[in-house]
Amino acid sequence: MNTFKSIDELLRVLEREKILLKQMFQKRPSTSLKYDYALELTEYKEERIKYLVDHGVIRDSGNFLEMEDVYLKFFEEILQVNENINVSFVDDYLGRLNENIDYYLKEDNEQRKYNYHKEVRRCLKNIAMITVRNVIDLKRNIDNTYKNEPSYRIKLSKLKNLDEKRKNIALLINRSEDIIENRQPVFFRVAMDTQMRIVVNDVKLQLNDSYHNLIEIEKQIIHYLNLIAYQNRIFEKVRRLKYLRDQFLLEEKSDIRQVLNMKNPVWMEPQTNYRIKLSVDNLRTSATALELIRKVISKRKNLAKGPKNMAEAIPQEYLETGGEVLDSINLQEVYNAFSASSSHLFKFVMNYNYHKDLSTDSRILYFCQIASQYADELNFTDIYETSYGVEYPLIYSR
């Protein structure tokens, strides 16, 4: 693999292929970029794509192109959209920090001591910067996992793994503060000039803020885990109730009627925009209510006598009660008859005697309903047939 000879050459190539690299970066979570589309973005010049492949900017995967990890991580770090939380970088910088502190204390040459001094400041800044970025990425990943991950088990596993990373970040923060406060007191006492003091104070402040943010993140993770457990319990109950309802066993195998009778959900209703009538018992026993009734009666006496704008009498036919008989099909009865037969479900439903004329669409609808409601008690085969313009599987009773 070839390498770039200078920064100018690298920047020139990135500027020339910015459209291609932009598209590859935007499509990184979903899929690779097709070679034909990449060729279109490079004005159909294959030598430009080959140049990027040879210099390790992208890699060729047959008909697809992918951005190399080193450039992908570079763009993610610069744009702060990294989804992976890597605490090993902080651990490496802690090791490098201790090494340069040891070199500084053993070095006699002033110029080389200054270089070690500068390297210590750089390590401290990088530790603080990476820690802050890891905390931000951790918070974003936790929110995205809870809100966007569709699988319950994967969501739970991801949140637990993110919680482990939170613990690792907190551990590295404690190690960093311990090095500054306790492990290297001689160095920070001897080398504490103005520049080092500013760096140390900034690092302490950033690490302290990051640790407090981790405490809030821990509370958020616990809250999300509790919500997932609660939602899972509700889901299991709803699924069980749905199964009992589909089997027409809801009232027999549950106490749903007793539970509903004990509930009083009136307080959950929206507030009415009309006056609520007083109870009759209150009107009979309350002296205040009696006084109010007297005032109302005295006001009504002052009104003009006789009703105003009286409506006409209600027609007699509106007062007559009547009923409407709904002729419906008992699917349980149809299924019981099918269970006693040796035919497959579609043929049985289409030929069943419903004691009334039914259209082909209605019979097909009953076939679908029985196959859905009694799926656990049916044997679905991989054989398909076509009748009445409908393709259906052969379903038999177990």
Side-chain angles (χ1 to χ4, degrees):
M1 182 180 67
N2 299 327
T3 58
F4 293 102
K5 303 303 181 181
S6 64
I7 296 180
D8 294 335
E9 182 183 1
L10 172 62
L11 295 178
R12 185 169 60 253
V13 172
L14 294 179
E15 171 64 23
R16 185 183 65 192
E17 309 300 346
K18 63 180 180 181
I19 299 178
L20 173 61
L21 296 176
K22 178 182 177 181
Q23 289 295 322
M24 297 183 71
F25 185 76
Q26 290 177 349
K27 296 181 180 296
R28 72 192 188 281
S30 56
T31 182
S32 304
L33 197 70
K34 288 186 177 181
Y35 185 88
D36 295 338
Y37 183 46
L39 194 61
E40 179 182 349
L41 296 178
T42 54
E43 300 175 354
Y44 298 96
K45 296 179 179 180
E46 294 186 359
E47 62 273 10
R48 290 169 58 177
I49 297 179
K50 187 176 183 302
Y51 183 88
L52 294 176
V53 173
D54 293 339
H55 285 74
V57 180
I58 62 178
R59 60 175 175 265
D60 189 357
S61 302
N63 294 328
F64 296 92
L65 297 176
E66 298 178 358
M67 188 180 298
E68 288 289 352
D69 292 340
V70 61
Y71 290 93
L72 183 61
K73 292 180 180 179
F74 170 75
F75 291 135
E76 288 179 343
E77 290 291 336
I78 294 299
L79 299 176
Q80 297 186 7
V81 292
N82 184 26
E83 295 183 356
N84 297 322
I85 301 170
N86 195 340
V87 295
S88 61
F89 288 159
V90 179
D91 194 42
D92 292 341
Y93 276 113
L94 287 175
R96 196 177 305 173
L97 176 65
N98 285 322
E99 291 175 1
N100 284 277
I101 290 176
D102 184 59
Y103 298 155
Y104 178 88
L105 296 176
K106 295 178 179 179
E107 183 59 57
D108 296 328
N109 184 276
E110 291 298 327
Q111 180 61 40
R112 288 193 290 270
K113 288 184 69 173
Y114 176 77
N115 293 334
Y116 295 136
H117 189 276
K118 183 174 66 175
E119 185 65 19
V120 169
R121 297 199 308 268
R122 191 178 71 87
C123 290
L124 289 173
K125 290 180 181 179
N126 287 330
I127 290 172
M129 180 187 66
I130 296 175
T131 301
V132 171
R133 188 168 297 175
N134 280 339
V135 172
I136 295 174
D137 294 339
L138 179 65
K139 172 63 175 174
R140 183 177 63 251
N141 289 346
I142 290 172
D143 292 336
N144 291 338
T145 299
Y146 178 76
K147 296 176 182 178
N148 300 324
E149 177 56 51
S151 174
Y152 157 75
R153 294 181 179 179
I154 296 178
K155 180 186 295 186
L156 191 61
S157 299
K158 283 186 176 181
L159 286 177
K160 290 181 179 179
N161 292 333
L162 290 172
D163 189 47
E164 290 297 324
K165 292 184 178 181
R166 177 197 62 79
K167 294 178 182 179
N168 293 334
I169 295 174
L171 180 61
L172 291 175
I173 291 176
N174 292 332
R175 287 180 55 191
S176 302
E177 292 177 341
D178 185 57
I179 290 176
I180 296 175
E181 298 291 343
N182 304 320
R183 294 291 183 87
Q184 300 291 348
V186 177
F187 170 80
F188 288 104
R189 185 173 61 253
V190 173
M192 188 63 73
D193 57 2
T194 303
Q195 292 180 341
M196 182 63 72
R197 183 177 292 105
I198 294 174
V199 171
V200 169
N201 291 337
D202 291 342
V203 169
K204 286 183 178 180
L205 181 62
Q206 289 175 312
L207 293 179
N208 185 62
D209 291 341
S210 298
Y211 194 83
H212 285 289
N213 290 332
L214 288 179
I215 296 176
E216 296 299 324
I217 290 175
E218 180 183 13
K219 295 179 181 178
Q220 190 70 44
I221 292 176
I222 295 174
H223 177 64
Y224 283 159
L225 291 176
N226 291 335
L227 285 179
I228 292 174
Y230 172 76
Q231 292 168 357
N232 185 57
R233 292 195 299 268
I234 295 297
F235 175 76
E236 292 295 335
K237 290 182 179 179
V238 171
R239 185 166 61 179
R240 177 63 178 168
L241 289 174
K242 182 179 182 301
Y243 172 78
L244 293 176
R245 186 201 65 181
D246 293 341
Q247 299 298 320
F248 301 99
L249 299 173
L250 182 59
E251 296 184 12
E252 180 180 351
K253 293 191 175 181
S254 70
D255 58 345
I256 186 170
R257 285 193 175 275
Q258 293 83 345
V259 172
L260 293 179
N261 289 333
M262 294 172 59
K263 298 295 182 180
N264 184 23
V266 178
W267 64 272
M268 299 181 64
E269 296 292 333
Q271 188 175 2
T272 57
N273 55 2
Y274 53 85
R275 295 181 180 180
I276 300 176
K277 297 180 180 180
L278 298 175
S279 67
V280 177
D281 294 337
N282 182 268
L283 294 176
R284 289 175 178 174
T285 58
S286 174
T288 304
L290 179 60
E291 184 64 27
L292 292 175
I293 292 173
R294 289 174 178 173
K295 290 182 179 180
V296 172
I297 292 174
S298 63
K299 289 182 179 180
R300 291 180 67 87
K301 288 181 179 179
N302 298 329
L303 298 177
K305 295 182 179 181
K308 297 181 180 180
N309 299 329
M310 182 178 293
E312 298 179 356
I314 299 176
Q316 185 63 29
E317 57 269 18
Y318 289 169
L319 301 178
E320 296 178 356
T321 59
E324 181 180 356
V325 178
L326 297 177
D327 189 8
S328 60
I329 301 299
N330 189 342
L331 294 181
Q332 180 68 42
E333 180 180 346
V334 178
Y335 172 74
N336 292 337
F338 166 70
S339 300
S341 69
S342 60
S343 175
H344 60 81
L345 181 60
F346 188 85
K347 180 180 178 181
F348 181 85
V349 171
M350 300 303 291
N351 297 326
Y352 184 75
N353 184 11
Y354 296 95
H355 304 291
K356 66 175 183 177
D357 294 334
L358 289 177
S359 64
T360 302
D361 292 341
S362 298
R363 293 172 184 264
I364 294 175
L365 176 61
Y366 294 150
F367 164 76
C368 296
Q369 290 179 344
I370 293 175
S372 175
Q373 294 182 13
Y374 302 96
D376 295 336
E377 302 174 11
L378 297 175
N379 182 19
F380 290 77
T381 67
D382 296 332
I383 304 174
Y384 287 80
E385 292 184 357
T386 303
S387 299
Y388 302 96
V390 176
E391 185 181 9
Y392 57 88
L394 296 186
I395 304 174
Y396 295 93
S397 178
R398 290 185 178 179

